[in-house]
């Protein structure tokens, strides 16, 4: 799955520390979408709440459609984690971020 650059930037604006270039274990140089967090237990909850607030703000917008697609994506439930020293990254190996929005 690929999420739009606009959604990625909005997640950043909402205060999430997101990455579009993470290459985790056994990815062999491929990159994916991830979220840097202090607490792994709340990472998915925080992401889901932020996506829902984007949807609630303007349910008819393209951005809301992108957020809803990410929430409903089957791969959203599967994630990997890595320890980054003082923080962790929760990453989704099959979710990438578009280079640019058209």
């Amino acid at each position: 799955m690929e999420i739009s650059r606009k959604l990625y930037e909005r997640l950043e604006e909402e205060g999430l520390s997101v990455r579009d270039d993470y290459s985790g274990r056994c990815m062999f140089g491929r990159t994916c979408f991830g979220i840097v967090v202090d607490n792994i237990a709340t990472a998915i909850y925080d992401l889901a709440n932020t996506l829902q607030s984007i949807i609630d703000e303007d349910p008819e917008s393209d951005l809301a459609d992108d957020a809803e697609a990410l929430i409903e994506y089957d791969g959203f439930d599967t994630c990997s984690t890595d320890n980054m020293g003082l923080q962790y990254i929760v990453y989704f190996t099959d979710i990438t971020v578009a280079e640019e929005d058209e």
Side-chain angles (χ1 to χ4, degrees), residues 43-66:
I44 303 301
Y45 177 80
D46 293 342
L47 177 60
N49 277 343
T50 303
L51 291 168
Q52 189 60 54
S53 71
I54 292 168
I55 294 166
D56 292 344
E57 181 179 292
D58 185 3
E60 302 301 318
S61 71
D62 290 341
L63 191 58
D65 291 342
D66 292 347

Side-chain angles (χ1 to χ4, degrees), residues 29-46:
R30 289 180 298 117
T31 59
C32 67
F33 172 73
I35 307 164
V36 178
V37 296
D38 294 326
N39 185 346
I40 293 174
T42 63
I44 303 301
Y45 177 80
D46 293 342

Side-chain angles (χ1 to χ4, degrees), residues 27 31-35 44 47 70 75-80 90-96:
M27 290 189 65
T31 59
C32 67
F33 172 73
I35 307 164
I44 303 301
L47 177 60
L70 183 54
F76 184 69
D77 293 336
T78 59
C79 62
S80 299
V90 176
Y91 61 102
F92 306 87
T93 58
D94 53 349
I95 298 177
T96 58

